[in-house]
Structure formats: C-alpha cells, structure tokens
Amino acid sequence: MPPLNETARPAITAEDIYVAAQLKGRMLTRLDRGICRRLLEDKKLAEKTDPALFSSYETEQLLTFAMKGIEEEKSSGAAIASQKKAEEEKEEPELTEEERLLRESFHPAEGTPPGIEVLVSESGLFAKLCLVKPKEDEEGQPPPAVTASLLEEALQAAGVTAGVDKIALARLEAQPVYDEDVLVAKGTPAKNGVDGKLIYHFETEQDLSPKVDAQGNVDYKNLQYAQNVAEGDLLCEIVLPTAGIPGVTVRGEAIPAKNGATVPVPNGKNTVLSGDGTKITAGCDGQVTLKNNKISISKMLLLENVDASTGNILFVGSVSVSGDVRGGFTIRVGGDIKVSGIVENATLVAGGNIALNKGINHGSATAGGSLRARFIESATVNADGDVFADVLLNSTVTAKGNVKLSGSHSCIVGGRCSADNRIDCKEIGNDANIPTEIALTGQSRMQEERDKKAELRTQYPEAVGRVTDILLKLDRASLPDNAKQNAIARAAYLKLRFEQALTAVTAEVEELDKQLRRQSNGLIIVRSTLYPNVTFRLNGVTGRNQEIRKFCTAALRQGKVTFGPATGL
C-alpha cells in the first residue's frame, strides 16, 4: 500500500481513523471524530479497509492526514465564527432623539401661499419649508424675490408660530434652495421626569456560598451569615423623582410631560428616616435585612442550628439558637448567647451573658457577663461575672465573680475551678479520687492589678519631668518662630496627658486599696461531700485535702488553708 498523502487518498472511513488513533494510543475528541466524518464522508468510497492491515508507517500517515484535515477545518470554522460574531456585533450608530423624530412623516400644511410648501411632522415638533422652483411669466419677467418676511408669513399662515429659525429663513432669502425641504422650525419636546430610585448600602440578598481566596482555598465556615450594622450607619439613599417639563409644538401647542414615579420608602423596624426623606440609617446595632421591601434591623439573631448551613456567626447583637452548635464552628457576638441544644466542640464568645439550656462538651465559652449551663464537660469556660451550673467535669472554669452549682448533682469533678470570691456546691471530687483543683483568686488578682497600677503611678512623674525639661530647652532654643511654637505646643499637650494619666491612675490605686481592705479571703462551701485528692489554691496559698469530709468549708485563715463545718450557710 503506498504512503497516504493528499493526492492519493485510500478508500477509508471516519471509523478507520478512529481505530487507527486507538492503535497509536491517541484518543480523538467527539468534536474531532465529527469532523473526521465530515471530511471523509463519501457514498462512493469502497468497502471499509481492515484496520489490521495498516502498517505502523501507514497508520502514522493516516493519522497525520486526518489530523491535518481536522486542524484546517477547525481553523476555517473558527475564522467563519469570528467573522459572523463581528458582523453580529456590528451595530448601527444609535440615533439621537432629534434624529429619530426627524425620521417621522411630514404632512403639508394648509393655507400656504403658492410656491411655498410648509411641512409639519407628525409629532408637531418640526416644520420644513420647500420652495417650488418658479417659472417666468408670459411677459418674461422673473417671479417675485424670496424674502425672509414672506417665508415667515407663509409659516404663520400654516400655523407655525413657535421655534422658528430666523437664521435659516435669512439663508433662504440670501440663497434660495428650490424643490428641497429645509428645516426652519423646532418645537421643544416634553421631558418626562426621572423616576425615584433606592440605593442600598448593604447586600440585599444573602449569599451563603463558600468563599474562595486568591490561592483557591475554599472557606466553608466564614459564610457571613449575619450582616452587621452599627447605629447611625447609612443603609439606603432615596433618590426623589423629578417633575416633568412640558414641551411645545411648532404651532405653540403644549405637550404634556409625565412626572417621575415615586418609590415606596422601605424604612422598617429599628431604622431612622431623615427629615428630608432621602436617607435611612440604622437606629441600633444589629443585623440588617431586606424583607417584603422593608429594611429592618434585628438586635437578636434567631438560628435553628449553627453548622455548615450558617457557618461561623459574627454578630454585634445577641444570638439565640433553638438547636445545637456543631463542632468546629464559632459564635462571636457583642450581646448575649442563648443555646437550647448542645454545644459540641465549638467556640462561644459573648460580650454579655451566655445561657446554655443543656451544656457544653469540649470547646470553649467566654462571657463578658455571667454564664449558665446544665453541664460543662471537658471545656474551657471564662466569665467576667458568675458561673452557674449543675456539673463541672474535667473542665477549666474561671469566674471573676462566684461559681454556684445547683441541681441534682451540683458537683465539680476533675479539672480546675476558679472564682474570685466564692464557690458553692454539693460535692468536689469523687470516690475515684480524680485530681481536682479549686482556686480563689479575688484578693491575689486584685492585689496584682493594684501593683501594676502602682508601678504606672511611679512612671508618670518621671515622664512629666522629662517633658518639662524638653519645654525648658525649647524655650531657650534658637528656632524659627513657627517651628518653635509648634514644638512647644506638642510638648505641652504631651505633658498635660501625662499629668491627667497620673491623676487617674492615682485614683484607681486608692480605690483598689479600699477594695482590698474590704475584700475577704473568700470561701468554698461543700454542702455534701469533699473527696480526697482535691487541691486548694486560695489567693496564692496551697493546701490539699486527703480525706472524705462532709458539710464543710475551705478558707484561708492565718495564712493556711483550713477546713471547717458548713453550718449556718
């Protein structure tokens, strides 16, 4: 079989090329195979050649020929498609409103003198003049001359009284143009008013799709479920409609104009409409939403669950979850957090209180106020206020107020529990002697804070002294007046700030000294059983209980951790 080329093509089909491609390990796309069929379609081709007869060389030649045809047809098709697209995209230049109106039909007006034809457009906005070429009279005398006044009289006779272009009439007087329409009058089209509109300054539609960063990483957790706004934030601008401006035809007839349509004002709950009705601002911190064409702000965000459907929650207000907070997700709010279900290996941070109807298992919770939970298990909890619970199990709990356990168990088992003033429960530890640490830190924490403030109180006088020296040097320095005055003003301001800070920190130290004098060492109350292997750290003093005690207290007395009866409490 001779080598395949463009002049000696074998009797092959598109299927032959496909089989040859498979034999050579090359896969043709569906598009390529379709092109092959079109290239090789010929009803007069001989019967299909047996692929097994193709030699390696012939197969390569066959593929080369086929692929060349494919590329040529692709290129040709691409060029045709490109040209077709260019033709489709080629558009006629957009007409102006005046150009569009000038394409209207013009109709002759009645009452015009002989030799002058006045044409008025359908809209009545344009008038044209056509001078009929005159003929010499029988005596050979030329017709009367064309004058601007004659043309204006003809227009008036046709009722054209407004928008007459006297310059155009003067041109016709100076150089008459015959048997040709000349535009000589323009009316004023009516200008409809512009409709009012709303310009929103927040996302009106919620997009909870995962976010992809520049590196292609997909974030499935930070979906921005809540759209936060602060009090006073601009939410919406209301563009008021404009009034329509009436027009006038060349015959002096008024053309009515429509006023722009008003838009409904979308101010809703917790929003403020400005006095001029053009701005809507937030009336409080919270989540902004647009529902039923009303903007509203919610101080409380209501959720069924916190999971992959919501992502992490970041909200300036408060959050209430009727279900669970799933593992790996975070709720961070400026207000309160309430969860009716379980918090499982999640993170809660609230500027206010946290209330967990069931509890938290693993994870962490930080409250700017108090924290309530039925159970806290293998979790880290911090509260600037009190902590209330039934069971603390293998957790680290820290409260700047008190820890109060109540309920059927009211126990602390394992982990570390710390409060500023008082810890009150039924049981601490258990009969398996799990190591448990109990701490009272109020006095030591307050003393530590007082010492830091006192250290600052010693530093500020030194700073005031250094700035005073700088002021003296500046006063004696030879500097341009403006530079000298500016430097003295800055140094004087800095000195004033240091003096104000010294006054404030002195007052804080004195107040902490008063609180320390009133501050007791705190008290730990065990209303049922204190088990062995419980370590007490009371304001820096450590003690350990190694026996079972009933109805007892633990306190710091004469520098030692001592245990006493819990009577009368």
Side-chain angles (χ1 to χ4, degrees):
M1 178 180 285
L4 298 177
N5 52 55
E6 295 187 16
T7 58
R9 298 185 182 182
I12 57 176
T13 68
E15 189 64 19
D16 295 330
I17 296 177
Y18 180 56
V19 172
Q22 287 181 316
L23 292 173
K24 294 295 293 182
R26 296 179 65 174
M27 295 299 294
L28 300 179
T29 66
R30 184 179 298 176
L31 175 63
D32 292 339
R33 280 188 273 165
I35 294 175
C36 284
R37 292 190 186 95
R38 293 197 299 275
L39 286 172
L40 304 173
E41 186 176 6
D42 188 345
K43 294 180 181 179
K44 296 181 180 180
L45 289 176
E47 293 183 357
K48 176 180 174 182
T49 305
D50 186 358
L53 299 177
F54 291 157
S55 67
S56 175
Y57 174 76
E58 291 165 344
T59 302
E60 189 65 39
Q61 291 292 308
L62 178 63
L63 282 172
T64 300
F65 165 70
M67 294 308 294
K68 182 177 180 181
I70 289 170
E71 293 303 322
E72 287 176 352
E73 185 155 334
K74 279 185 178 180
S75 299
S76 175
I80 293 171
S82 177
Q83 182 179 358
K84 184 178 180 182
K85 184 178 180 182
E87 290 174 354
E88 290 175 351
E89 291 178 351
K90 186 178 180 181
E91 298 179 356
E92 293 184 6
E94 188 174 349
L95 297 176
T96 65
E97 182 66 12
E98 182 172 315
E99 289 172 336
R100 186 185 66 79
L101 289 171
L102 281 170
R103 292 191 176 189
E104 293 180 336
S105 298
F106 282 73
H107 304 288
E110 297 179 357
T112 57
I116 300 175
E117 187 176 38
V118 177
L119 305 167
V120 180
S121 66
E122 285 186 353
S123 63
L125 286 170
F126 301 98
K128 294 179 179 180
L129 268 177
C130 181
L131 298 178
V132 180
K133 191 170 184 178
K135 297 180 180 179
E136 293 184 355
D137 60 19
E138 295 177 355
E139 298 179 358
Q141 297 294 326
V146 175
T147 64
S149 59
L150 178 65
L151 298 177
E152 193 165 357
E153 288 173 3
L155 290 173
Q156 290 176 353
V160 177
T161 58
V164 175
D165 186 353
K166 294 188 177 182
I167 295 176
L169 297 181
R171 287 198 191 101
L172 285 173
E173 179 181 9
Q175 189 175 357
V177 177
Y178 295 97
D179 298 330
E180 185 176 321
D181 296 342
V182 178
L183 184 67
V184 293
K186 289 183 184 180
T188 303
K191 187 175 182 180
N192 292 332
V194 178
D195 293 344
K197 64 179 180 179
L198 302 175
I199 303 174
Y200 292 102
H201 289 268
F202 63 94
E203 296 297 330
T204 57
E205 295 184 3
Q206 192 177 38
D207 179 12
L208 296 180
S209 58
K211 307 300 185 289
V212 182
D213 62 18
Q215 288 72 41
N217 301 313
V218 182
D219 187 349
Y220 293 96
K221 291 187 176 180
N222 296 306
L223 306 182
Q224 298 177 348
Y225 185 91
Q227 191 169 180
N228 297 294
V229 293
E231 183 177 356
D233 282 355
L234 178 62
L235 305 178
C236 180
E237 289 181 81
I238 303 167
V239 179
L240 300 178
T242 60
I245 302 174
V248 62
T249 68
V250 292
R251 291 192 168 103
E253 301 164 341
I255 303 175
K258 294 180 180 179
N259 293 329
T262 59
V263 290
V265 180
N267 60 314
K269 183 180 178 182
N270 293 325
T271 62
V272 178
L273 180 65
S274 63
D276 60 2
T278 62
K279 290 181 176 64
I280 297 175
T281 56
C284 64
D285 297 349
Q287 179 195 27
V288 59
T289 55
L290 179 66
K291 188 175 182 180
N292 298 326
N293 296 320
K294 288 291 183 182
I295 301 172
S296 60
I297 298 176
S298 302
K299 297 180 183 179
M300 174 73 74
L301 183 62
L302 304 177
L303 301 170
E304 184 175 349
N305 294 298
V306 174
D307 51 23
S309 66
T310 63
N312 295 332
I313 300 300
L314 177 64
F315 186 48
V316 294
S318 299
V319 169
S320 177
V321 183
S322 60
D324 302 328
V325 180
R326 303 298 168 82
F329 290 93
T330 297
I331 300 178
R332 189 181 299 272
V333 302
D336 301 334
I337 296 175
K338 180 180 179 181
V339 181
S340 298
I342 295 176
V343 178
E344 181 73 33
N345 195 25
T347 301
L348 308 182
V349 180
N353 302 321
I354 295 178
L356 310 178
N357 286 2
K358 291 185 178 178
I360 178 170
N361 183 11
H362 293 82
S364 67
T366 302
S370 64
L371 184 143
R372 294 177 179 271
R374 185 177 300 176
F375 66 85
I376 299 172
E377 181 178 350
S378 301
T380 300
V381 169
N382 293 278
D384 286 349
D386 300 329
V387 172
F388 302 92
D390 182 15
V391 176
L392 305 184
L393 178 61
N394 294 324
S395 297
T396 300
V397 176
T398 303
K400 289 184 179 178
N402 303 316
V403 174
K404 172 67 176 176
L405 276 73
S406 60
S408 58
H409 298 91
S410 181
C411 63
I412 304 172
V413 180
R416 184 179 191 273
C417 178
S418 171
D420 267 15
N421 304 310
R422 176 176 288 204
I423 297 174
D424 191 336
C425 60
K426 286 183 181 179
E427 295 183 354
I428 300 178
N430 64 1
D431 52 11
N433 294 337
I434 292 179
T436 305
E437 183 177 328
I438 306 296
L440 293 178
T441 59
Q443 195 173 53
S444 59
R445 186 181 60 79
M446 193 177 297
Q447 184 65 49
E448 183 179 351
E449 185 178 356
R450 187 263 177 206
D451 292 343
K452 289 180 180 179
K453 299 287 185 182
E455 177 64 22
L456 284 175
R457 188 175 60 177
T458 63
Q459 294 175 1
Y460 283 128
E462 297 177 7
V464 171
R466 288 197 298 271
V467 176
T468 302
D469 291 341
I470 292 172
L471 282 168
L472 292 173
K473 292 177 181 179
L474 286 172
D475 187 53
R476 296 192 296 266
S478 297
L479 294 171
D481 289 343
N482 288 341
K484 186 173 183 177
Q485 289 174 3
N486 289 336
I488 290 175
R490 289 196 296 268
Y493 175 73
L494 187 60
K495 179 183 177 183
L496 177 62
R497 291 297 302 271
F498 282 143
E499 289 173 344
Q500 291 174 339
L502 175 60
T503 301
V505 77
T506 299
E508 290 173 356
V509 170
E510 291 173 354
E511 179 60 29
L512 286 169
D513 285 338
K514 291 179 183 178
Q515 292 181 21
L516 282 168
R517 287 193 292 270
R518 294 194 301 266
Q519 176 76 27
S520 66
N521 290 325
L523 184 65
I524 297 168
I525 304 172
V526 182
R527 299 182 182 275
S528 178
T529 307
L530 172 61
Y531 289 92
N533 206 19
V534 176
T535 301
F536 292 88
R537 303 188 190 279
L538 308 185
N539 292 308
V541 179
T542 301
R544 180 169 295 178
N545 179 59
Q546 296 291 16
E547 59 182 88
I548 294 178
R549 300 177 188 271
K550 298 287 186 177
F551 308 102
C552 65
T553 63
L556 188 62
R557 298 182 180 90
Q558 297 180 351
K560 292 183 179 181
V561 176
T562 60
F563 302 96
T567 57
L569 297 172

